[in-house]
Amino acid sequence: MCATHATVRSLIRELVSAATQVTVADMEAGLEHLSRGTPRYVDTIVAVIEPYFKSLETGRKICELAGELGVPQIFAVANKVHSEEDGRAIRAFCERHGLQLLAEVPHDEAFLAADRVGKAPLDLAPQSPGVREIERLARLLGPASEGGYG
């Protein structure tokens, strides 16, 4: 195993063991971190997918590999959903492949505007559709004591 993945895996183990609530780690897109055992200590994987075939297939493979690794909770979240047609296609793909889709974050111009000025979308446009959907997702993934899956 490469030193980088071993370090990340150890860091995640320490964060998870010290956490009193929820620890979120944004991992590199793709399968390599899963094949190297990086998520050994996690209890939830959220595969972020976009409405493009390669992204959907990668998300499916991530969820499949996470299941093989024994991760107890595996979810998909759609990102950059431009239209209802995108949403229908993503939902159909997830249903065909047994993926539990938790949220559909719309393509949101507020995210682009926030990035241009170096601010978080939550600070720039807290009522934008994308921010509101991410807040809903955060509540779903929050600690079980607060009604979430955690």
Side-chain angles (χ1 to χ4, degrees):
M1 171 182 309
C2 89
T4 302
H5 285 282
T7 301
V8 171
R9 189 174 67 202
S10 294
L11 177 62
I12 289 173
R13 181 186 68 233
E14 292 303 316
L15 287 171
V16 169
S17 66
T20 57
Q21 291 197 344
V22 175
T23 300
V24 176
D26 182 2
M27 304 300 283
E28 181 179 352
L31 301 169
E32 185 176 5
H33 62 281
L34 288 166
S35 66
R36 299 206 184 242
T38 305
R40 177 181 295 169
Y41 304 102
V42 303
D43 60 8
T44 305
I45 291 275
V46 178
V48 178
I49 56 177
E50 294 183 3
Y52 313 105
F53 182 76
K54 187 173 181 177
S55 176
L56 292 168
E57 274 298 304
T58 300
R60 180 189 64 75
K61 289 175 185 174
I62 287 169
C63 292
E64 184 178 288
L65 188 51
E68 291 172 8
L69 292 171
V71 176
Q73 299 180 111
I74 304 164
F75 304 111
V77 170
N79 190 33
K80 300 179 185 173
V81 179
H82 287 82
S83 64
E84 180 53 36
E85 182 180 2
D86 281 353
R88 278 193 303 273
I90 290 167
R91 288 188 297 274
F93 182 90
C94 288
E95 189 172 318
R96 268 194 319 275
H97 296 286
L99 305 178
Q100 186 174 352
L101 184 64
L102 280 189
E104 294 179 34
V105 180
H107 172 79
D108 191 334
E109 290 295 324
F111 288 17
L112 300 173
D115 191 49
R116 281 192 291 273
V117 297
K119 290 191 169 191
L122 178 62
D123 295 333
L124 187 68
Q127 295 303 313
S128 75
V131 169
R132 292 174 64 178
E133 182 67 354
I134 291 170
E135 287 176 329
R136 187 183 75 78
L137 174 62
R139 286 189 301 275
L140 284 173
L141 291 171
S145 62
E146 296 177 18
Y149 290 102

